[in-house]
Amino acid sequence: MDDQVRWRIGLLGTFRIERDGEVVAVLYNRKRDRLLAYLAVAPGRPHLREDLSRRLWPNEARSEGLQRLSSLLYTLGAYFQEVGIDDDLVVRTYHTLQLNPRVCTDVQDFERLAQTDALGGATAIAEERLRRLGEVYGAGLLPLMRDAAFEPERLRLAMLHRQAVARIDTTIAHGFSAVSGMEPSASPEIPLEAANGLPFLSPFTEADRRRQQIMDLGRLIEDAMGGIWGAERAEWIHRLNARYPEICDALEWAITNDERDLAARLAGGLWPYWLDHPTLDDGRQYLERILAMGRPSDAEPYALAVHGSGVLSLRSGDLILARTRLHAAQALWQRLGHQTYYARAINSLGEVARRSGRPAEALPHFAQALEILRALPAPDLVCRVLNNAAAAETALGHHAEAQRCLEERLALGTQLGNQVVVARARADLANVLIATDQLALARTHAEAALSSFEEMGDDAGQASCLRSLGYILHRQARFDDCDALYQRSIDRARAAGDMAELSESLFYRASVRHDQGHVEEAIDLCRRAQDLFTAVGDAIGVAKVKRALEHLGVASPPDGAPSPVAEVPADAGAM
């Protein structure tokens, strides 16, 4: 740390970092901000990493909490680099973290000011001290952080402020008495519990309270981001559904009041919720409005918002905008040094290529993303990229390569104990096995996956498995039984509101209805599937329906039932 530069952390009122008296960063209530606050509130002592991880992730196992803390420190360091702050602001050892002793805080300045003896008779000086004391103390210690760990220090400073004000008031009163000849009145005792009612202790405006509410929502969304991709996804979706009107209201307020950091933080963290939700269009509109506001001071929420816009555009079939936004996100994550999201952006660009009908172009993206994620390691994300790589290999007719990807994914999911990953790997593996005529093994995987999806209440997953089982019966010329399963698949896809699944199910049923002699109905089903494939931007789906319609337009029947190997796997996509 440069000895010529004076670094100072502001904890009273606005949480901020200053360099030579100039504010270079404003912090809020993210986990990285809370980590720095824990260190700055007690700047003279080291903090055990284990204690800090337990405060930040009280429900996590010790090893998981420590791993998350290491990742958070990396994020904090990348943020420091982005805004031009020395990385050694925090001193790190294997077991402890501590604020660099050469960094001062405004709490230290406040304590010196509050403990200075009152100057008897110097009324003008006392009045200036009173003004200065109120200016430094502001809204008190970290008013946007309601963490219980800060309460003892918050109360200590409130009492110190109250006592200093009482002493200065006495000095001013005696000075007035000397001039007027009137006896000074005794200052009333103010109980500590009433302190927060004083104007100089609680100068919160309605906007401040609104920001505090949004910070609380931001913490909920930040926690949700950690679990929404895994086995707890349904629980997090349920929790966010319950708060969604409140979240929308908060976004509207932040956008209307040009609170760029708050708006980007909320929406940037919320896009995984919007991804597979009926409110996806809401998400796209909010993100576009926020990006139109201009870049906020904090680069990471902005990068999340750009990334989220790209992912939601991809899911909506807007491949041109998706490519533009994801390239921008890739560059931002590379600059921030955030390897996980850098790999995510690369994977999503691969999905843009695959869904544009260029699976060969997609494979290098998936290979690069896998290399980064395996090195981190990030096995849950590796599973998702393996799924996308399998889809690209399948589209190219490389069934053996696709099978290897899905078998690795199944093994990883089993190792992680992730029922969702295991079920989806089995469902997709069944489709590849069908393509290589391993029907008995395919049926075993599809039935096991269907049972898991029924247990989890996953309608889209059930639709995929029912379609695969129907296709096996189709290959065996059991048309009526096959048609019944295809219809059940359509019903489950509709219940899920999943257009990609519904388009596949309609297309499959078109084939069996043709084989049953219902040509006009088959043509209608194909056209409906084509419309849906177009709507979700699935170029592969559009092409295969076009070929089927060409077959249906002539006297000869189509060349057998459609092959499942070209379909989009159940959870393939951006991330």
Side-chain angles (χ1 to χ4, degrees):
M1 177 171 282
D2 189 346
D3 291 333
Q4 303 303 313
V5 177
R6 184 174 185 266
W7 291 98
R8 181 173 182 262
I9 294 182
L11 299 165
L12 297 170
T14 303
F15 187 16
R16 63 204 180 277
I17 301 175
E18 300 173 2
R19 178 176 53 214
D20 292 334
E22 179 184 351
V23 176
V24 295
V26 175
L27 307 170
Y28 292 94
N29 197 12
R30 299 175 66 87
K31 275 190 165 60
R32 70 167 189 218
D33 304 339
R34 286 160 57 202
L35 172 60
L36 185 61
Y38 291 142
L39 303 180
V41 166
R45 67 178 180 86
H47 300 254
L48 288 173
R49 287 178 179 245
E50 189 168 339
D51 291 344
L52 292 167
S53 67
R54 194 160 45 241
R55 280 184 182 177
L56 290 164
W57 298 281
N59 299 320
E60 295 287 353
R62 176 181 177 276
S63 58
E64 179 67 21
L66 288 171
Q67 185 177 355
R68 287 196 173 198
L69 180 62
S70 296
S71 177
L72 190 65
L73 280 168
Y74 183 87
T75 301
L76 185 63
Y79 174 65
F80 284 166
Q81 184 179 11
E82 172 72 15
V83 297
I85 297 172
D86 285 353
D87 189 39
D88 55 354
L89 203 70
V90 176
V91 178
R92 313 174 190 197
T93 70
Y94 185 77
H95 293 291
T96 66
L97 300 174
Q98 181 180 356
L99 190 70
N100 193 310
R102 284 179 291 202
V103 179
C104 64
T105 72
D106 61 351
V107 169
Q108 296 163 333
D109 297 340
F110 166 74
E111 287 175 322
R112 284 192 291 270
L113 184 63
Q115 291 167 356
T116 303
D117 290 337
L119 301 174
T123 304
I125 296 175
E127 288 177 343
E128 173 58 22
R129 278 193 57 224
L130 182 62
R131 183 198 66 77
R132 177 64 181 149
L133 197 67
E135 182 181 88
V136 173
Y137 185 76
L141 182 74
L142 297 169
L144 294 182
M145 291 191 183
R146 311 315 298 176
D147 194 310
F150 301 125
E151 283 307 308
E153 181 69 356
R154 185 175 284 125
L155 290 173
R156 184 185 75 82
L157 295 176
M159 176 62 80
L160 187 62
H161 183 230
R162 185 169 72 93
Q163 292 169 344
V165 169
R167 289 199 307 272
I168 296 171
D169 277 344
T170 299
T171 298
I172 294 172
H174 279 295
F176 174 76
S177 174
V179 174
S180 66
M182 298 175 61
E183 288 295 320
S185 57
S187 298
E189 282 297 318
I190 305 173
L192 181 59
E193 58 269 20
N196 285 331
L198 291 173
F200 52 79
L201 286 180
S202 184
F204 268 20
T205 64
E206 182 58 33
D208 292 325
R209 291 188 174 86
R210 190 68 165 161
R211 291 186 190 97
Q212 175 62 56
Q213 292 170 355
I214 294 175
M215 286 291 103
D216 291 341
L217 281 175
R219 290 178 65 176
L220 169 69
I221 291 169
E222 187 175 297
D223 289 341
M225 282 191 72
I228 203 166
W229 296 104
E232 298 175 349
R233 180 173 178 80
E235 179 184 341
W236 279 113
I237 293 292
H238 177 73
R239 290 180 63 180
L240 292 173
N241 282 344
R243 305 288 294 275
Y244 191 63
E246 183 183 352
I247 290 169
C248 290
D249 187 47
L251 281 168
E252 288 292 345
W253 185 89
I255 293 170
T256 302
N257 290 275
D258 198 30
E259 294 278 356
R260 300 180 186 183
D261 288 278
L262 290 177
R265 182 187 171 196
L266 280 181
L270 203 60
W271 64 259
Y273 163 79
W274 281 318
L275 188 59
D276 292 311
H277 200 268
T279 55
L280 184 146
D281 286 341
D282 287 353
R284 291 194 68 191
Q285 291 170 17
Y286 276 126
L287 285 166
E288 291 309 305
R289 291 169 65 191
I290 289 164
L291 294 176
M293 293 166 68
R295 184 165 178 163
S297 61
D298 193 343
E300 187 174 324
Y302 178 73
L304 280 170
V306 174
H307 190 123
S309 173
V311 170
L312 296 188
S313 297
L314 172 56
R315 183 54 59 94
S316 300
D318 189 346
L319 301 181
I320 295 175
L321 181 60
R323 185 182 298 109
T324 300
R325 289 286 158 77
L326 289 166
H327 273 303
Q330 181 186 6
L332 286 166
W333 293 126
Q334 187 173 29
R335 195 177 311 133
L336 288 169
H338 201 308
Q339 288 292 92
T340 302
Y341 269 99
Y342 178 60
R344 283 174 179 258
I346 293 169
N347 167 74
S348 296
L349 284 166
E351 270 297 278
V352 171
R354 188 183 75 82
R355 295 193 183 190
S356 300
R358 303 191 304 275
E361 182 184 318
L363 285 175
H365 289 86
F366 298 142
Q368 185 182 0
L370 284 170
E371 182 180 359
I372 295 168
L373 294 171
R374 282 175 173 145
L376 286 176
D380 53 337
L381 297 179
V382 168
C383 287
R384 296 183 67 85
V385 182
L386 283 170
N387 186 74
N388 296 339
E393 297 283 14
T394 296
L396 292 167
H398 303 161
H399 305 312
E401 290 82 354
Q403 184 173 341
R404 279 196 293 271
C405 288
L406 293 171
E407 285 173 345
E408 181 184 350
R409 185 181 182 219
L410 178 58
L412 274 175
T414 303
Q415 180 184 334
L416 292 168
N418 190 323
Q419 185 184 11
V420 175
V421 171
V422 169
R424 289 180 175 171
R426 286 187 180 278
D428 298 332
L429 190 53
N431 290 332
V432 173
L433 292 168
I434 288 170
T436 54
D437 289 324
Q438 301 178 68
L439 299 186
L441 185 55
R443 180 171 183 169
T444 298
H445 280 297
E447 287 177 342
L450 178 61
S451 177
S452 296
F453 286 134
E454 287 174 341
E455 184 180 332
M456 291 184 286
D458 186 330
D459 290 317
Q462 292 175 54
S464 176
C465 294
L466 288 165
R467 191 169 62 249
S468 297
L469 291 168
Y471 180 78
I472 292 171
L473 295 179
H474 200 167
R475 289 278 296 272
Q476 297 169 348
R478 295 169 57 182
F479 298 147
D480 290 344
D481 292 337
C482 163
D483 186 36
L485 286 176
Y486 285 162
Q487 184 57 57
R488 285 177 60 193
S489 176
I490 290 170
D491 293 341
R492 290 299 87 208
R494 281 182 175 146
D498 191 318
M499 288 196 297
E501 284 296 339
L502 182 57
S503 56
E504 291 287 352
S505 298
L506 289 169
F507 179 58
Y508 276 56
R509 187 160 187 254
S511 179
V512 76
R513 294 306 283 167
H514 176 274
D515 289 347
Q516 290 173 312
H518 304 288
V519 177
E520 292 302 318
E521 185 180 355
I523 293 172
D524 179 63
L525 288 166
C526 276
R527 286 174 175 161
R528 288 159 62 190
Q530 188 175 39
D531 289 343
L532 288 174
F533 280 127
T534 302
V536 299
D538 188 342
I540 295 172
V542 171
K544 69 183 181 183
V545 175
K546 182 179 179 182
R547 289 194 300 271
L549 284 171
E550 289 172 355
H551 282 301
L552 290 169
V554 297
S556 58
D559 297 334
S563 169
V565 298
E567 72 173 285
V568 180
D571 66 338
M575 60 185 192

